[in-house]
Each structure stands twice: as structure tokens, then as C-alpha cells.
Amino acid sequence: MAGAIIENMSTKKLCIVGGILLVFQVIAFLVGGLIAPSPTTAVLYTSAKCIDMRRNHHKAKWLMPWGDKPCEKLKDFEEAVSRQIEANDIVFSVHVPLPHKEMSPWFQFMLFIMQLDIAFKMDNDLKENAEITLDVSLAYRDDVLDEWQEMTHAIEIRKLKCTFGSPKTLESEGRHYDCDFLPFMEIGSVAHKYYLINIRLPVNERKGINVGIGEIKDIRLVGIHQNGGFTKVWFAMKTFLTPSILIIMIWYWRRITLMTRPPVLLEKVIFALGISMTFINIPVEWFSIGFDWTWMLLFGDIRQGIFYAMLLSFWIIFCGEHMMDQNERNRLSGYWKQVGPIAVGSFCLFIFDMCERGVQLKNPFYSIWTTEVGTELAMAFIIVAGICLCLYFLFLCFMVFQVFRNISGKQSSLPAMSKARRLHYEGLIFRFKFLMLITLACAAMTVIFFIVSQVTEGHWKWGDVTIQVNSAFFTGIYGMWNLYVFALMFLYAPSHKNYGDDQSNGDLGVNSGEELQLTTTITHVDGPTEVYKLARKEAQE
């Protein structure tokens, strides 16, 4: 009777905890949907065509499209031809941000993509597989009266992928090609108020530089940056969640250290998962407001990669420790087949990220996708990572199937147990199935909200209430995985409670030749912990 009462209390506590976590989950979605603005803003910049007829262009002053010292501008290239101005003397100038605005460190990053307006002309047609060479310079300043300071300079090559929907005849001259956007620049911090981009298209017919690229009419840039309001909400969430996960993690490990036995593998993995979640949560981004830390995007990718690798490893080990067969799996080496693909896939994605954002720390105009070798290398890393992910999910699905099959087989032994003990083990099976369903629900919600955020306009309007779908996706999913880790450590922490005489094999109702060994989430301080193996059968001949 006492066991039944304890089990009923345990189930009741589980429902209460689940209800509280559900409330926090709803709050996480509402914070992003109702309080935070859209995560990012896209701004279109049209370059000004400035004239720079000095010999040493790179040591010349910076050319401003507008302001107190604007450059001498061309209306169009017909004017350049009439004035006998060469292509090497034309600079495309873009000021970031637009007039009467300022950039802010709260914007966190700047991403630019380039759009070229190329007109068809019979005597200057766009060649197949044409490449455009860009001589680009980036400068900054924090006051409109300050001189521009060079931030970086590079010569980049981009492949043009354009189509022309009309026959290439004299009647089609002047019509524009339909060209793909080109990756242009990415900076991992916005530490200054004003930025200036000068773009030159150097022409060298002898070397074939910028020959056969058509008649370029305009260069447009689309700048994308994080909204300051969203950044503040995001920082607030990280600041709130950091101590929450840290406290439960310390409490969880303290309960484990109270045991007289060493921690088992599943307990170590759950603790490592808590550490990786805390690593993501620690709001080091606050320092980016005062420091020019351009490596924050790369650092964020590494933090997320560590967490996802630990989460995938946890799912494999969690299923393995509930397999209930005769194999001993309380060693990480026992999972090398399943964890190996995670390690290989994570390493490939890390190398890919280092080849992209790692190089961008020195050259923000760099993109691995702009060359044949870079594209093939990037695709190779992504394909290998994809294959590893597929292998992982095949292993995971097979193990989940085995666990549920074994649990169904072990349930046949439950009627032979005493009522209190039977209720206890039924509760353990319920906990395992409950966690599996929660895991599937979390994964499904992540996929569903990602798809919804991609296919919707970014916000829903119900009467006077506007819900930012993309912001709700970020804050809700981020809060959801925090709550998932919190629930894991709370539900799988060792307990000091003891079931007394019910721990004997006699209560199981099995003969001496077959021992059904079960470990629980509620155990004696000297015994095993958690549902890391719901029921393991040992044959004793």
C-alpha cells in the first residue's frame, strides 16, 4: 500500500511538473510573438556611381555617395562614355546606413548580398560562365566629422549566373538579365555607427579581367542585420535561463555525489547535456555591445554544435540503457557505432564553418561558394555530414523500436509482482514512454515551427494584435530545449527514498533461476539511480 501511495504521489508530481513546464513553454512563445519585433531587417542600398580619376586610387580619399563631402556622381554610363571616363575610374559607393540613421551594436551582425543590373547589348554580351572581379574596400567612422578609417580591403571574384528570357537580337538591347544574388560580405559585429563601401570593377583586357560581363547598369546591395529590439529580448531570455539551468545542474550533480557508488554513464551524459546547454545560455553577447568581437557568429555556431552533438548522443545512450537485454552498456565505448557518425558529422560541419566564417574573421568579403574548389569542398563536407546524420537516425529508430519491443515483453512479468511493486514499475515504464513522447514532440515542434516561419510572411495579425511568427519560433524553440534539459535533470536525479523490503527478489514473483533486475528513479542512496535501465534481465543457470 505504501508503495502504491508513493507511486501515485510520484505520478501526481510528474503531472504538476509537466504543467509548470508547459506554462513556461507558452510564455517563451508569447515573449517572441508579442514582445519582440521581427528578428532581422533587410535594407536595400543602391550604389552611387562616383568618379575617381586619380592615378593611385587605393591611397585616395574615400568616396561618399552623399553627405558633407559627396563625390562627383554619374547619372548613367552614357554620361561616362560622352565624357570619356573609363571603367577603372568609376567607383560604386554605398553608405551604411541610409541618411539620418545610425548603426548600433545591438544589431549584432551585418550580412550583405549583391544584385547586379546587367543590360543586354549586342557588342558587349554576357559570356557563359562569366566571372566578375570586385575591388572592394570597407571603412568606418563613429562621427560624421571624423575621417574614414579603413577596416578591410580585398579583391574578390564572383561567378555570374544569369538568364535572358528574350531572343538576343537588336530589339532586345537594353533589357536586363535575370541574375542570381551574389554573396558579398558578412561581419560578426556592428561596433561602429557608419560604414562606407567602395566597389571598383577593374578592367584589364590583356588579362581578361572583367571582360565579357555585359553592360552593368547598377549595383545594389541588400543589407540584413538583427533588430535591436529582438536582441534585447534574446539577451534577457539568456540572462534568465542561465541561472535556472545552472541551479538545476548543480542540484542534480549534488544528488549524484551523495550516492556511494560512482555515477553511471547515463547520469554523466545528462550532466554533460546540462553543461552544453549552460554553455549556450551564458550571455557573453552582452560584451559584444561594448567590444568589437567579430568572432561571435563563429563562437555561436560552435556552441550550438556542441549542444546538438550532446543531445544526439544522449538520445542514443538513453535508448541503449533501457534496452533491457543481457549486454552491459554502462561504457561509452559500447556506443561507438552510434556515436561515431555524430562525431564525424560534427567534425565535418566544424571544418566547413571554419572554412567559411573562420576566414571571414580576416576577410569579411570571402565566401567559400565563390570558387569551384570551394564549392566542391563545402558540398563534400555537407554530404558527409548528411550521410552521418542519416546513419545516426537509422541507428536511433532501430534502438527505439527494440526498447519498446523489450518493454512490451517485460510487461508480461508485472502480474507476478506485488501490487505496490507492480505499480512502481508501471510508473517507470510510463516515465520512459512519457519522455520518448516529449522528445518526439520537441523535435516535431522544432521542424513545424521552422517550416511555418519559412512559408509565412513573418507575422500574423489578429485584430489589433500582431504576432511575430519568426520571433516566436526563435524564443519558443530556444525555451523549449532549455525546459527539456531542465526536465531531464529534475526527473532523472537520484532520490534518497527507499522501498524497504520490496527490493527483494521474492516480491517479484520469479523463481531463483531467473532474476528480474530493475533500477528506478526512486532508489536507496546506496543503490542504482534513474530509469537508465528500466528492466534488465539476467539469466542465471
Side-chain angles (χ1 to χ4, degrees):
M1 180 63 69
I5 294 175
I6 292 174
E7 191 59 41
N8 289 334
M9 291 175 61
S10 176
T11 304
K12 183 178 179 181
K13 290 179 180 178
L14 183 63
C15 294
I16 293 174
V17 171
I20 294 174
L21 294 178
L22 181 61
V23 170
F24 277 104
Q25 179 62 78
V26 172
I27 292 174
F29 278 110
L30 293 179
V31 165
L34 300 179
I35 299 177
S38 176
T40 57
T41 294
V43 182
L44 177 63
Y45 300 93
T46 301
S47 64
K49 294 175 276 292
C50 296
I51 303 173
D52 184 12
M53 302 189 66
R54 286 161 297 177
R55 293 287 182 184
N56 198 345
H57 292 157
H58 298 304
K59 293 184 179 179
K61 67 178 182 179
W62 294 85
L63 300 179
M64 280 272 293
W66 46 263
D68 54 341
K69 297 178 181 179
C71 67
E72 183 183 356
K73 292 188 284 290
L74 292 169
K75 292 182 180 180
D76 49 44
F77 286 96
E78 283 72 16
E79 180 185 352
V81 173
S82 64
R83 295 174 57 180
Q84 296 183 342
I85 298 174
E86 297 181 357
N88 289 326
D89 297 326
I90 298 175
V91 178
F92 296 86
S93 180
V94 176
H95 186 282
V96 180
L98 296 174
H100 312 299
K101 295 182 182 295
E102 293 181 357
M103 302 301 285
S104 167
W106 292 102
F107 294 165
Q108 292 294 287
F109 68 89
M110 291 192 300
L111 172 66
F112 286 88
I113 54 178
M114 174 183 286
Q115 182 181 20
L116 297 175
D117 291 344
I118 304 177
F120 168 70
K121 201 170 183 180
M122 292 292 293
D123 59 353
N124 188 14
D125 192 14
L126 179 65
K127 293 193 307 184
E128 189 176 356
N129 298 322
E131 294 182 342
I132 184 171
T133 300
L134 307 171
D135 185 343
V136 290
S137 301
L138 177 66
Y140 68 89
R141 68 182 182 183
D142 292 306
D143 191 278
V144 293
L145 300 178
D146 292 345
E147 293 294 327
W148 289 103
Q149 303 295 322
E150 183 175 291
M151 187 171 178
T152 186
H153 169 260
I155 296 178
E156 295 293 326
I157 297 176
R158 299 288 188 266
K159 272 196 161 188
L160 297 178
K161 296 181 180 178
C162 303
T163 57
F164 193 68
S166 302
K168 292 185 176 182
T169 60
L170 284 174
E171 290 76 14
S172 299
E173 280 198 349
R175 295 184 181 180
H176 285 199
Y177 286 87
D178 183 13
C179 297
D180 292 347
F181 286 96
L182 302 175
F184 181 68
M185 180 180 72
E186 185 175 27
I187 300 177
S189 68
V190 189
H192 306 286
K193 294 181 180 179
Y194 309 105
Y195 293 87
L196 181 64
I197 303 171
N198 281 181
I199 306 171
R200 292 177 170 85
L201 304 179
V203 177
N204 189 320
E205 295 184 4
R206 183 173 58 86
K207 295 183 178 180
I209 297 176
N210 285 334
V211 176
I213 61 173
E215 188 172 297
I216 296 178
K217 294 292 187 181
D218 266 315
I219 294 180
R220 308 176 194 274
L221 298 180
V222 178
I224 302 171
H225 62 78
Q226 189 165 292
N227 277 327
F230 178 82
T231 302
K232 293 173 183 177
V233 172
W234 189 254
F235 285 10
M237 280 196 68
K238 293 172 75 75
T239 304
F240 170 76
L241 291 172
T242 297
S244 303
I245 297 296
L246 190 60
I247 290 171
I248 191 69
M249 188 174 65
I250 294 173
W251 172 83
Y252 171 79
W253 193 249
R254 181 178 176 275
R255 299 295 289 265
I256 292 177
T257 55
L258 290 176
M259 310 291 288
T260 57
R261 57 159 180 80
V264 295
L265 177 61
L266 185 62
E267 293 169 341
K268 295 177 182 178
V269 172
I270 292 176
F271 184 69
L273 185 62
I275 292 176
S276 64
M277 190 78 254
T278 304
F279 189 42
I280 285 184
N281 288 341
I282 295 176
V284 294
E285 291 86 351
W286 283 110
F287 293 101
S288 66
I289 304 302
F291 299 94
D292 187 10
W293 287 355
T294 56
W295 44 266
M296 285 303 298
L297 288 177
L298 178 61
F299 183 61
D301 289 346
I302 293 173
R303 290 196 296 179
Q304 290 185 38
I306 293 174
F307 171 73
Y308 290 136
M310 284 305 310
L311 182 65
L312 297 178
S313 300
F314 162 74
W315 287 342
I316 283 290
I317 294 172
F318 177 80
C319 291
E321 294 300 289
H322 289 78
M323 196 66 72
M324 295 181 294
D325 53 19
Q326 299 178 17
N327 297 325
E328 179 59 44
R329 291 186 175 83
N330 193 29
R331 293 173 292 105
L332 186 60
S333 58
Y335 296 94
W336 69 269
K337 291 181 181 179
Q338 295 85 356
V339 178
I342 300 175
V344 174
S346 299
F347 179 74
C348 288
L349 293 178
F350 172 73
I351 296 299
F352 167 75
D353 214 25
M354 290 299 296
C355 292
E356 176 79 0
R357 284 184 168 166
V359 178
Q360 286 174 349
L361 296 179
K362 291 294 184 182
N363 178 15
F365 301 105
Y366 173 81
S367 175
I368 195 174
W369 301 99
T370 57
T371 63
E372 291 286 349
V373 175
T375 300
E376 292 177 0
L377 185 64
M379 288 303 299
F381 284 131
I382 293 175
I383 290 173
V384 171
I387 293 173
C388 291
L389 187 63
C390 292
L391 289 175
Y392 165 81
F393 275 107
L394 287 176
F395 281 126
L396 182 62
C397 291
F398 178 70
M399 293 181 72
V400 170
F401 169 75
Q402 282 188 311
V403 170
F404 276 101
R405 185 187 62 182
N406 291 346
I407 285 180
S408 299
K410 298 301 181 184
Q411 284 178 326
S412 60
S413 302
L414 295 179
M417 300 180 185
S418 64
K419 182 178 180 180
R421 197 156 181 77
R422 185 179 71 253
L423 289 173
H424 178 61
Y425 293 129
E426 287 175 348
L428 295 180
I429 294 174
F430 167 75
R431 286 190 187 94
F432 173 78
K433 293 182 177 180
F434 177 78
L435 181 62
M436 290 301 298
L437 291 175
I438 291 297
T439 300
L440 292 175
C442 289
M445 286 179 65
T446 301
V447 174
I448 290 171
F449 269 87
F450 175 76
I451 294 174
V452 169
S453 66
Q454 297 300 308
V455 301
T456 61
E457 296 180 355
H459 64 273
W460 292 338
K461 196 169 182 63
W462 292 344
D464 296 332
V465 179
T466 300
I467 298 178
Q468 295 291 340
V469 179
N470 292 340
S471 297
F473 165 75
F474 282 109
T475 59
I477 298 304
Y478 175 60
M480 181 187 70
W481 288 113
N482 270 274
L483 293 174
Y484 180 83
V485 174
F486 184 96
L488 275 178
M489 289 188 286
F490 181 81
L491 295 175
Y492 283 79
S495 175
H496 62 279
K497 295 180 182 179
N498 186 8
Y499 285 91
D501 295 337
D502 280 347
Q503 299 290 340
S504 64
N505 285 337
D507 290 337
L508 295 175
V510 294
N511 57 41
S512 59
E514 187 179 84
E515 180 184 355
L516 186 63
Q517 186 179 13
L518 296 159
T519 56
T520 72
T521 50
I522 304 177
T523 60
H524 187 262
V525 71
D526 292 329
T529 71
E530 311 309 336
V531 208
Y532 73 90
K533 32 187 179 176
L534 269 182
R536 183 165 289 165
K537 190 175 181 179
E538 242 178 63
Q540 295 181 347
E541 296 297 335

